[in-house]
Amino acid sequence: DAGITQSPRHKVTETGTPVTLRCHQTENHRYMYWYRQDPGHGLRLIHYSYGVKDTDKGEVSDGYSVSRSKTEDFLLTLESATSSQTSVYFCAISESNVPEQYFGPGTRLTVT
Amino acid sequence: RKEVEQDPGPFNVPEGATVAFNCTYSNSASQSFFWYRQDCRKEPKLLMSVYSSGNEDGRFTAQLNRASQYISLLIRDSKLSDSATYLCAVTVDSNYQLIWGAGTKLIIKP
């Protein structure tokens, strides 16, 4: 299995609080992605990164920001959590020039 | 219309049977195609890439039909352990971003 970890694995937070999720990889892959997965929807891309300090928005980026200061770490921040952001968040990685992505174990976030 | 569509199922199939399901995509420029498997409350895991010529891996066969814009996954001699949700994903541009179907749930019954 690819060396990808996510932390925390579970979190319950209140509406309006900031939340940061961390994705850490040991594969030295260039690309990293943040998705959310909700019932009835496919995985939806929030943000992705194509290198250190290089990030771009995905399909559902509103309310989320990201940072990548090191190759191995990709952080997802919810500036002010809302109940609509209750979801399972997956981080994924891929090498340059190949489309296959490999996923971390996910973070279950509940916003009350 | 969604870019990538799958029948959500569930497909209830007896052990040992053959089962197949499809995934349709709307963008004719789609370049790469994949099947992932996702167990309950787990992360998606790459099952197979789908090549133009089709490909087989043990009991699993994946095929691409560009004319009708769908990919298929065939599972032969199904096992209880095949019970999972199967996700398809396609790329549509050179950035290799994946567009995902919502998944087909498969339940293999003894």
Side-chain angles (χ1 to χ4, degrees):
Chain A
D1 290 344
I4 314 168
T5 57
Q6 292 184 231
S7 60
R9 295 293 312 280
H10 299 85
K11 185 170 183 68
V12 179
T13 192
E14 292 183 348
T15 299
T17 60
V19 176
T20 296
L21 309 183
R22 180 184 184 230
C23 177
H24 179 78
Q25 60 143 331
T26 58
E27 305 295 323
N28 200 35
H29 283 0
R30 179 181 174 190
Y31 288 84
M32 299 185 76
Y33 309 83
W34 277 109
Y35 290 95
R36 59 179 291 172
Q37 187 175 40
D38 304 289
H41 293 273
L43 290 157
R44 292 183 290 175
L45 183 65
I46 304 171
H47 283 279
Y48 68 100
S49 170
Y50 47 95
V52 173
K53 299 191 189 308
D54 292 323
T55 65
D56 206 348
K57 295 179 179 180
E59 175 189 358
V60 290
S61 60
D62 287 348
Y64 301 95
S65 62
V66 291
S67 66
R68 191 170 178 197
S69 59
K70 298 185 289 185
T71 299
E72 57 266 35
D73 289 325
F74 192 31
L75 303 181
L76 176 71
T77 297
L78 291 65
E79 301 290 348
S80 177
T82 67
S83 59
S84 64
Q85 293 176 312
T86 292
S87 188
V88 180
Y89 291 86
F90 287 104
C91 172
I93 64 174
S94 66
E95 295 183 83
S96 299
N97 299 322
V98 293
E100 290 89 343
Q101 295 181 14
Y102 300 91
F103 286 79
T107 294
R108 292 187 174 274
L109 177 68
T110 301
V111 183
T112 61
Chain B
R1 182 185 173 190
K2 293 183 179 178
E3 289 189 73
V4 178
E5 292 197 80
Q6 296 183 253
D7 183 335
F11 284 50
N12 291 285
V13 175
E15 190 176 10
T18 295
V19 60
F21 28 82
N22 294 336
C23 165
T24 59
Y25 59 94
S26 61
N27 191 328
S28 60
S30 297
Q31 298 173 347
S32 302
F33 308 86
F34 305 94
W35 283 105
Y36 281 73
R37 170 196 170 121
Q38 186 173 26
D39 293 300
C40 187
R41 302 177 76 85
K42 299 284 190 179
E43 73 272 24
K45 293 189 176 181
L46 180 63
L47 180 65
M48 301 178 75
S49 302
V50 187
Y51 305 122
S52 296
S53 56
N55 49 307
E56 185 175 314
D57 183 3
R59 298 182 293 108
F60 297 82
T61 300
Q63 293 194 316
L64 167 63
N65 185 317
R66 283 197 182 272
S68 299
Q69 296 185 201
Y70 72 89
I71 61 174
S72 63
L73 180 67
L74 180 85
I75 306 174
R76 290 180 298 277
D77 188 24
S78 54
K79 313 291 185 190
L80 295 176
S81 57
D82 294 333
S83 296
T85 296
Y86 291 84
L87 309 175
C88 65
V90 307
T91 61
V92 295
D93 56 34
S94 59
N95 287 331
Y96 293 136
Q97 289 186 36
L98 291 175
I99 308 299
W100 296 82
T104 295
K105 186 171 184 177
L106 175 65
I107 300 172
I108 305 299
K109 296 184 175 296

